[in-house]
Amino acid sequence: MLIAQISDLHIKAAGRLAYGVVDTANLLQRCVTAITRLQPAPDLVLATGDLVDYGLAAEYELLKSLLAPLSMPVYLVAGNHDERRHLRAAFGGPGFEYLAATDQFIQYQVQLGALCLLVLDTVAPMEARGQLCSVRLRWLEQRLSETAMPTIIAMHHPPFVTGIAHMDAPGFEGAAEFEEIVARHAQVERIMCGHLHRSIQCRIGSSVVSVCPSTAHQVALDLRIGGPDCFVMEPPGFQLHLWTPPRLITHTCVLGDFGPHYPFRHAGVLID
Ligand SMILES: [Fe+2]
Ligand SMILES: [Fe+2]
């Protein structure tokens, strides 16, 4: 099982740049092309939120066309830049039936062979912070109590303080309760997040949280107290998660043209 995770696509309406600078549509197109060329092909793509920039219907329409070249199932996660109603309206058709089965929150369960995927909705509408209310936490607890199968939880906001002050400042309501639930269920193999626009890892409970870089702009790495909120055009990327029981191995992929692959050896001998 090979999972391609993309995150924080921030698609704008056609012709518009994010923050007046970032051509997010072009960058996603490059990422989608890179994924379609992968060998072996991923079994699925998981998009962990901030799919579009302002939650607009026109942005979701463009997003849908940009994702169309992906032949494998695509699972969508809502982020703080998303708008649930417009997201559902744009992706109501074939391939996205799982969205129709969700109610107030975009939370759903997918069986991936011997893996269970639980998608959580950490959105507090019109706010940057993360939120897992009692309804959403109860849903998680219920799902985890039903199976001992290795489980991946996907959600937009990372449930820990990252050290990047302006990203941490809005907070995450329910993060402590979430951690308690995860700590009680050893089958949680991984918690896959976005939102931070960087590759970050952290242990919570007995599980690992991994944060995927953005397909577009990255949040500037600044660990100073009160550091300013800035982004930087470091190389964008995505992650490949390889499930080889009993482990999930994560590779971070950088997008860009870095030339050909060079051999280490010639005629079986290490090149000097
Ligand atoms: Fe984002
Ligand atoms: Fe976000």
Side-chain angles (χ1 to χ4, degrees):
M1 173 69 61
L2 187 60
I3 300 170
Q5 183 185 1
I6 60 177
S7 201
D8 294 271
L9 291 45
H10 286 266
I11 296 305
K12 307 281 290 182
R16 301 208 60 205
L17 303 177
Y19 309 102
V21 177
V22 192
D23 188 348
T24 53
N26 180 259
L27 288 162
L28 177 59
Q29 201 166 31
R30 283 169 53 189
C31 181
V32 165
T33 300
I35 290 174
T36 59
R37 288 177 180 165
L38 286 172
Q39 290 183 343
D43 296 285
L44 66 131
V45 171
L46 177 66
T48 43
D50 287 357
L51 307 172
V52 302
D53 202 40
Y54 267 78
L56 304 175
E59 295 176 339
Y60 287 109
E61 287 307 323
L62 179 56
L63 170 67
K64 195 173 183 185
S65 67
L66 290 165
L67 295 177
L70 296 170
S71 56
M72 62 290 281
V74 177
Y75 294 104
L76 304 175
V77 182
N80 53 298
H81 284 254
D82 290 302
E83 206 279 322
R84 294 179 186 123
R85 197 165 51 88
H86 288 153
L87 195 165
R88 281 198 182 95
F91 290 90
F96 299 95
E97 290 84 357
Y98 59 86
L99 285 176
T102 63
D103 49 21
Q104 182 187 358
F105 303 110
I106 297 182
Q107 298 204 150
Y108 53 91
Q109 177 172 4
V110 184
Q111 208 56 53
L112 306 172
L115 269 179
C116 172
L117 171 65
L118 297 176
V119 171
L120 288 185
D121 181 332
T122 56
V123 175
M126 311 297 288
E127 296 186 55
R129 70 189 173 119
Q131 183 184 54
L132 282 172
C133 59
S134 58
V135 172
R136 285 172 274 185
L137 288 168
R138 211 174 313 123
W139 182 89
L140 173 65
E141 178 102 64
Q142 186 82 42
R143 299 288 83 73
L144 289 172
S145 68
E146 289 168 354
T147 177
M149 211 170 256
T151 297
I152 293 170
I153 296 174
M155 57 201 234
H156 181 64
H157 296 81
F160 63 93
V161 173
T162 65
I164 300 179
H166 66 95
M167 295 300 287
D168 294 334
F172 190 146
E173 176 193 339
E177 292 85 348
F178 172 80
E179 183 164 0
E180 283 170 23
I181 292 172
V182 169
R184 283 200 299 274
H185 295 89
Q187 79 268 33
V188 179
E189 176 66 28
R190 179 72 63 84
I191 299 136
M192 295 181 184
C193 302
H195 186 60
L196 259 293
H197 294 230
R198 301 200 66 80
S199 172
I200 307 173
Q201 296 78 38
C202 177
R203 178 174 67 83
I204 73 159
S206 56
S207 192
V208 173
V209 184
S210 58
V211 183
C212 186
S214 168
T215 56
H217 48 293
Q218 311 306 309
V219 168
L221 179 56
D222 187 339
L223 302 178
R224 291 174 294 176
I225 295 166
D229 53 338
C230 294
F231 67 88
V232 61
M233 295 312 294
E234 285 176 14
F238 65 99
Q239 288 182 323
L240 282 176
H241 306 283
L242 177 63
W243 173 243
T244 49
R247 297 189 204 293
L248 186 73
I249 303 122
T250 295
H251 298 269
T252 298
C253 312
V254 177
L255 286 162
D257 182 1
F258 304 105
H261 289 190
Y262 298 95
F264 284 110
R265 293 169 189 276
H266 179 68
V269 180
L270 202 60
I271 297 169
D272 185 1

